[in-house]
Amino acid sequence: MSTIDDLPPLREVIKRHDLQARKSLGQNFLLDLNLTARIARAAGPLEGVTVVEIGPGPGGLTRALLATGASRVIAVERDERALGPLQEIAAHYPGRLEIVLGDAQTFDPRPMLNGAPARIVANLPYNIGTQLLIDWLCTEPWPPWYDMMVLMFQREVAERIVAVGDEEAYGRLGVLANWRAETKILFDISPAAFTPPPKVTSSVVRLKPRANPEQCERRLLEQVAAAAFNQRRKMLRQSLKPLGVDPEKLAAAAGIEATRRAETVPVSGFVAMANELAELRKSRKAD
């Protein structure tokens, strides 16, 4: 599909601007505009919404977001070669595309939003996708500045994001993601749809922030999950020892036996253990 607008086909754009994907930047360009339109639609009605897109490259998803009705797209790109194609899209959609040349890992869009509704939609570079997601999930204060994230990851990472217990993919990322958001894999995308084709299937994941996640200190939740899953084959009474408190008390707070392993503990159990950890450390300081 090349008819979402009357701009040139993406392959032509890439050739004209010498924009071949670079492995060092984690680039795999999605050239099928049917698929970019499907991703844009997965982000829900976009009228009146500002979309933050990371790594637009030649602009296939950018075009789909604008054609689907996004009132404004803030496109964050570190590859200067992409500026030409993005500027052509900006000229086609006057006043609706803002291009930021910079590193997504240090970029904070909040000063540009003026309190307007915002959404994150992106085909994330594989090499920084997970860290970007963690950064967004760790945004403070909460609820965050965005009302939804629709993101593409390697299938293996997507499975880790949505896993919530008793699954091989369940781990620290699943605890954090499902504590703060409702997560769902929407659909897969074949390697053949990309240039160059990656070695793995990709998946589009939707995350909707929870307005009121269970109360706990995020850093302590991360510490408990890290300790438990760093030795995931061991029982909690062993894996939680590095936290410096009695693992039995942590497990009891979650209403589980300390002989359980990390992958059997639901997200709510990790929240309970994080809260107990806070109390135990507070008591120790008081003593």
Side-chain angles (χ1 to χ4, degrees):
M1 175 181 175
S2 58
T3 57
I4 57 171
D5 51 40
D6 54 9
L7 287 166
L10 289 173
R11 291 189 185 278
E12 179 183 319
V13 171
I14 289 171
K15 184 176 181 180
R16 180 156 43 87
H17 291 274
D18 192 24
L19 190 54
Q20 283 70 32
R22 287 181 177 170
K23 186 176 182 180
S24 62
L25 296 176
Q27 293 175 328
N28 297 88
F29 298 144
L30 184 60
L31 304 186
D32 186 334
L33 294 183
N34 277 311
L35 291 172
T36 60
R38 187 178 181 189
I39 296 169
R41 290 194 301 270
L46 295 177
E47 291 76 11
V49 174
T50 294
V51 175
V52 176
E53 182 191 4
I54 306 300
L61 180 55
T62 314
R63 289 165 57 174
L65 291 166
L66 291 164
T68 304
S71 63
R72 182 174 170 229
V73 174
I74 300 172
V76 185
E77 177 60 68
R78 63 179 297 186
D79 188 350
E80 293 187 16
R81 300 176 303 154
L83 292 182
L86 293 173
Q87 287 165 350
E88 291 176 7
I89 298 170
H92 189 79
Y93 294 97
R96 294 173 60 196
L97 175 60
E98 296 184 43
I99 306 163
V100 176
L101 182 63
D103 188 342
Q105 293 182 284
T106 58
F107 172 68
D108 184 355
R110 285 174 286 190
M112 301 178 67
L113 298 177
N114 301 317
R119 210 157 287 171
I120 307 173
V121 186
N123 169 17
L124 294 175
Y126 282 163
N127 56 354
I128 60 170
T130 303
Q131 186 56 55
L132 284 173
L133 174 61
I134 291 172
D135 291 345
W136 291 325
L137 289 170
C138 291
T139 295
E140 301 292 353
W142 196 272
W145 52 268
Y146 54 87
D147 63 9
M148 186 189 301
M149 295 187 281
V150 175
L151 307 171
M152 192 189 309
F153 298 93
Q154 298 177 54
R155 175 74 192 188
E156 178 186 357
V157 176
E159 289 172 347
R160 288 168 49 209
I161 293 167
V162 304
V164 292
D166 285 323
E167 301 175 52
E168 183 64 29
Y170 186 41
R172 299 163 58 182
L173 183 58
V175 171
L176 179 62
N178 291 285
W179 169 56
R180 279 203 151 169
E182 298 174 11
T183 65
K184 184 178 181 181
I185 294 178
L186 299 180
F187 53 89
D188 294 336
I189 297 181
S190 164
F194 296 88
T195 297
K199 296 179 180 179
V200 294
T201 296
S202 299
S203 299
V204 175
V205 181
R206 182 182 65 210
L207 299 97
K208 293 184 177 180
R210 299 182 191 273
N212 297 293
E214 293 182 84
Q215 287 296 311
C216 79
E217 188 176 334
R218 174 181 55 79
R219 293 188 184 280
L220 293 183
L221 179 67
E222 291 180 291
Q223 287 177 25
V224 174
F229 285 106
N230 279 350
Q231 301 183 72
R232 63 185 299 142
R233 297 306 174 199
K234 292 187 177 181
M235 298 178 187
L236 294 174
R237 65 187 181 193
Q238 182 66 34
S239 64
L240 296 179
K241 280 184 177 180
L243 296 173
V245 299
D246 186 351
E248 298 279 352
K249 291 183 178 179
L250 293 181
I256 60 175
E257 297 293 328
T259 52
R260 296 264 291 271
R261 291 180 172 82
E263 65 265 24
T264 70
V265 181
V267 174
S268 59
F270 280 100
V271 170
M273 289 194 290
N275 287 328
E276 180 66 10
L277 178 61
E279 291 300 317
L280 292 173
R281 287 181 174 174
K282 190 184 303 180
S283 297
R284 189 169 59 188
K285 284 183 179 179
D287 294 340

